[in-house]
Amino acid sequence: MLIRSLRAFLALHRCGTVVGAAEKVHLSQAAVSVQLKNMESELGVALFVRTKRSLDFTPAGHMLVPLAEQMVSIYEEMKALKAGRPVGGVLSLGVINSALGGVLPELLRDMTQRNPGLEVKVVAGISGELVAQVDRGTLDMAIVTQPPKRFPTNLAVHHLYSEPFALLTPAEEPCDDIVRALHSSRPYIAFDRGTWAGQLIDEYRLKRGVMTRPGMELNSLDAIAGLVRRGLGTSIVPLIRGASWHESPDLHVVRLPNFERPVSLVSRVADQRDTLRVALLACFETAQGLGMGDGAETHVPAATGTGIYEHFGDPH
């Protein structure tokens, strides 16, 4: 099967029409139609439902999409074997929700600038679900946090960076002591305890005897910060690399000592996507070298009403 037939097939899937597909792959509509018919003939299965006005995918056609993406990507990686050549194809990348506005934009900008023929499909989610998708092969790689237990042994893990956890209290009533803060009259606002980060926070609280029952539980760090700013509670959250919400003058932020979550890139050990993985890691290193913001290292004088303090007494 010719690669150009697969390209035409994927272009139709993305554009929805033969006209749009023809423009994307720089062929005539007639040539695209021929390529699609040839695919059906070669595979011996109906990929499309044809009407006078549309060309819709059959269930078999939808099942072929990820396989076609893999074939085109592998072909592009074969072409990239020549040193210094950009990679192309499709990269399906899972990303934890908290990294979408922090690490990801700079990483994608560098990755696509270096590799203009590469299409990146980003799937947002929580770490456990993304790792399961990498394990199943529905995602090529994923940027996730460290699990409470070990990763599956069939996954390769590349450490990217670590993010510290911090205690959040309102600037109008700042508190540096975790026990006093979580036993105050203000309700405890929990970060989604179904996530790995939420589970790590619960383990941390349990070890320090502050397992107060949450008054609220949210999966949005911005929302949690907004509630704490308004004096509606206290919380423990990860300080996201590249984010700036913790710099609000209405927040009092105290970094918790010896409590961080590693963020890693996971992929399958037995995988053909080594070229893409190497390219992605190289772009990440470049983004770090260019000063991709790490909010966890920001220090603001206490007199402003906010700050991140490296040292405060561990209650236990």
Side-chain angles (χ1 to χ4, degrees), residues 38-299:
N38 288 342
M39 282 187 63
E40 286 184 306
S41 298
E42 188 170 345
L43 295 174
V45 63
L47 301 175
F48 313 103
V49 177
R50 293 175 172 82
T51 67
K52 292 183 178 179
R53 295 186 178 182
S54 67
L55 193 63
D56 298 322
F57 281 69
T58 64
H62 284 293
M63 291 175 64
L64 182 62
V65 170
L67 298 175
E69 289 177 342
Q70 290 179 30
M71 291 180 69
V72 171
S73 294
I74 292 171
Y75 173 75
E76 291 292 342
E77 289 183 52
M78 291 169 62
K79 289 168 57 179
L81 289 175
K82 182 179 179 181
R85 181 162 183 165
V87 295
V90 180
L91 167 64
S92 55
L93 178 66
V95 181
I96 49 175
N97 293 305
S98 57
L100 291 175
V103 171
L104 189 65
E106 191 70 29
L107 181 63
L108 289 183
R109 184 174 72 104
D110 194 38
M111 188 71 173
T112 53
Q113 284 181 349
R114 292 192 192 188
N115 307 283
L118 179 66
E119 178 182 343
V120 183
K121 294 173 58 178
V122 175
V123 176
I126 61 175
S127 294
E129 294 174 354
L130 295 176
V131 167
Q133 291 184 63
V134 174
D135 196 19
R136 292 195 303 266
T138 53
L139 285 176
D140 294 320
M141 306 168 208
I143 297 174
V144 299
T145 59
Q146 192 81 16
K149 298 180 180 179
R150 295 182 179 180
F151 283 103
T153 55
N154 61 319
L155 295 181
V157 182
H158 305 267
H159 177 74
L160 300 178
Y161 57 91
S162 294
E163 293 175 334
F165 286 88
L167 171 68
L168 301 187
T169 56
E172 61 185 20
E173 293 185 23
C175 184
D176 294 357
D177 184 275
I178 187 171
V179 175
R180 186 159 51 87
L182 297 190
H183 283 156
S184 70
S185 59
R186 297 185 188 275
Y188 173 65
I189 304 172
F191 180 57
D192 188 356
R193 294 185 292 172
T195 65
W196 288 348
Q199 293 170 30
L200 290 173
I201 293 170
D202 273 356
E203 289 179 5
Y204 184 87
R205 293 197 301 131
L206 179 62
K207 290 178 180 178
R208 283 150 184 80
V210 286
M211 282 299 290
T212 49
R213 184 175 180 179
M216 291 172 275
E217 181 176 341
L218 295 89
N219 62 2
S220 167
L221 294 173
D222 286 334
I224 290 175
L227 291 173
V228 175
R229 282 199 304 267
R230 290 169 175 79
L232 299 179
T234 61
S235 188
I236 297 175
V237 297
L239 294 179
I240 303 305
R241 190 184 188 102
S244 59
W245 52 261
H246 62 273
E247 297 174 358
S248 168
D250 298 321
L251 277 179
H252 185 73
V253 184
V254 178
R255 177 170 171 170
L256 300 175
N258 305 314
F259 187 27
E260 297 182 337
R261 65 170 190 175
V263 178
S264 302
L265 179 71
V266 297
S267 59
R268 293 181 299 282
V269 172
D271 194 11
Q272 297 89 5
R273 315 313 303 278
D274 285 342
T275 306
L276 278 175
R277 181 169 55 246
V278 170
L280 188 65
L281 291 171
C283 289
F284 183 83
E285 290 297 326
T286 300
Q288 281 191 309
L290 293 176
M292 184 169 60
D294 184 349
E297 299 301 325
T298 302
H299 294 264

